[in-house]
Amino acid sequence: MTAKLVVALSLVATLGWTSSALAAGSKEAGQAKAATCSACHGMDGNSLNPEWPSLAGQGEAYIVRQLKAFHAGQRQNVLMSPMAAILSDADMADLAAFFSSQTVRGGEADPSKFKAGQRVYRSGKVNEQVMACAGCHGPDGRGNAPAGFPAVHGQHSTYVAAQLRAYKAGARATDPNQMMRTVAASLSEDEIDAVASFVQGLR
């Protein structure tokens, strides 16, 4: 792990990626507002389409941060950008409160990719000083809410792989200090597919 990355991680862990002024949302209000979201993300936040993320069990602050990024145009998606553009801060907080309270169902890892994916997730790439995914996202993939690191356990492998490739290409740049872009840039195509499959099977 490089000294630069250690400093970045320490800063993020200390300050978090979140704002201390984050207003608490209403789960009940969020459930009503989530009706529109359900077409892609499922009624309970478990998406049926592997190209769209499941939001069930995701950290509130992370959901709000991503909605704000879409709202501000910092993150682009042909479907999400116009949806987020009409949301108020209260809407975002309510939706985050609802989806975070749901339980992710998850899937299974591809047995042929399990060992390679597990190695990258749990150990990183020591020779290239690339930290393990578990360092931020936790050994079971449940994330680190105080630091603002998202939960990844049970997430669709198709979606995870697409996001890793977006980070690798620089098309997604919502990661503080380029943390995800740095990690993704070191991964081969096979490693991306393997770790994405492993994440899908995490519980």
Side-chain angles (χ1 to χ4, degrees), residues 120-147:
V120 171
Y121 189 87
R122 301 213 184 281
S123 303
K125 301 177 74 173
V126 178
N127 293 339
E128 297 177 40
Q129 296 185 320
V130 176
M131 66 176 296
C133 308
C136 292
H137 299 288
D140 57 2
R142 295 182 183 276
N144 182 332

Side-chain angles (χ1 to χ4, degrees), residues 141-165:
R142 295 182 183 276
N144 182 332
F149 297 125
V152 294
H153 69 297
Q155 188 59 264
H156 295 298
S157 62
T158 299
Y159 176 77
V160 173
Q163 297 312 300
L164 287 172
R165 289 189 170 99

Side-chain angles (χ1 to χ4, degrees), residues 1-11:
M1 187 183 303
T2 65
K4 181 179 178 182
L5 188 55
V6 170
V7 172
L9 284 173
S10 298
L11 182 63

Side-chain angles (χ1 to χ4, degrees), residues 89-106:
D89 287 349
D91 292 333
M92 295 179 192
D94 291 342
L95 288 169
F98 170 68
F99 283 122
S100 68
S101 70
Q102 304 303 299
T103 301
V104 67
R105 289 197 292 267

